[in-house]
Amino acid sequence: MSARLLRRRYRQDNYLYLLVEGEDAALIDPGDPEVALAVAAAQGVTPRWIIHTHGHADHSGGSEALRSRLGAPVLGHGADAGWSAPDEDLAGRGALRLGGLYLALVTVGAADGVSWGSTALLSRLLGLESGRVLRAG
């Protein structure tokens, strides 16, 4: 498996992520669409999903522009639809498969102090954990 996680800073204190497994890819929390497109282009991939860990604008603000440019659906928790309505609701969905990478989904809700729709992505193969903060290792 050739899974990679790339992190890019935008604005003062925000990060977006590109998760790549083989030729499959997903953008996570793409608050700045131009930075997101540049990261994907540099890796030679066209993300098939745009994933929100929560719906606040600093994490989801670039999603409309990216949806239009990439034709990729937005995946996020319906509880955050008041901020940013997803095309596919992750509520109750146990996992996603990106290429050969299995991503378990856990709704952490407001327990982390962010929003009721906060969702963590977990993958043992990549050593990946996300929620309010996404990290690999």
Side-chain angles (χ1 to χ4, degrees):
M1 180 178 310
S2 60
R4 327 187 280 289
L5 176 67
L6 295 104
R7 179 174 99 156
R8 291 294 180 272
R9 187 175 185 159
Y10 63 95
R11 297 191 192 127
Q12 183 176 353
D13 62 352
N14 292 94
Y15 293 89
L16 63 83
Y17 302 85
L18 178 68
L19 182 57
V20 180
E21 204 292 308
E23 295 183 15
D24 210 354
L27 282 164
I28 303 168
D29 291 343
D32 185 313
E34 297 309 315
V35 173
L37 289 168
V39 170
Q43 296 299 309
V45 296
T46 301
R48 75 167 157 130
W49 291 326
I50 300 161
I51 302 173
H52 297 164
T53 61
H54 66 283
H56 292 170
D58 59 335
H59 289 252
S60 63
S63 296
E64 287 295 323
L66 290 167
R67 178 191 289 130
S68 294
R69 302 250 318 251
L70 299 172
V74 174
L75 284 62
H77 198 288
D80 283 356
W83 287 295
S84 180
D87 297 314
E88 295 181 33
D89 189 352
L90 295 177
R93 192 162 168 183
L96 296 172
R97 183 166 296 282
L98 185 72
L101 187 64
Y102 177 85
L103 298 168
L105 301 171
V106 178
T107 301
V108 293
D112 70 351
V114 177
S115 72
W116 288 109
S118 290
T119 302
L121 307 169
L122 307 168
S123 174
R124 290 182 57 203
L125 293 175
L126 189 60
L128 174 70
E129 175 186 343
S130 83
R132 181 157 195 231
V133 177
L134 184 89
R135 59 187 178 268

